[in-house]
Amino acid sequence: MKALAGGRLPDVLWDGFVNPKLKSPGICVRNGAAKLMNADGPGKFAKARIDTSVDCAPATRLPAIALPPAMTKDSGKP
């Protein structure tokens, strides 16, 4: 597993099993350079791999939040 993940254990390890009634495994890993390893349990671990196909990016992003100046650290108030 370490060799597949570039010499260290992956950030997230998934056994590879899915619910056949669902069209998506429901796994979401979006944390910088974090990697998801699919250990391929259903295939008896023969094709373990870093899985880059799981994309959980939302269709639309929420709007940015802007705090009033009085609520920010740099507002000049103690």
Side-chain angles (χ1 to χ4, degrees), residues 26-51:
I27 295 174
C28 179
V29 178
R30 292 196 56 108
N31 187 7
K35 293 182 179 169
L36 166 70
M37 176 177 279
N38 180 339
D40 187 33
K44 302 204 185 302
F45 310 102
K47 295 182 181 177
R49 66 198 177 281
I50 298 298
D51 196 335

Side-chain angles (χ1 to χ4, degrees), residues 56-62:
C56 58
T60 59
R61 305 293 288 172
L62 293 174

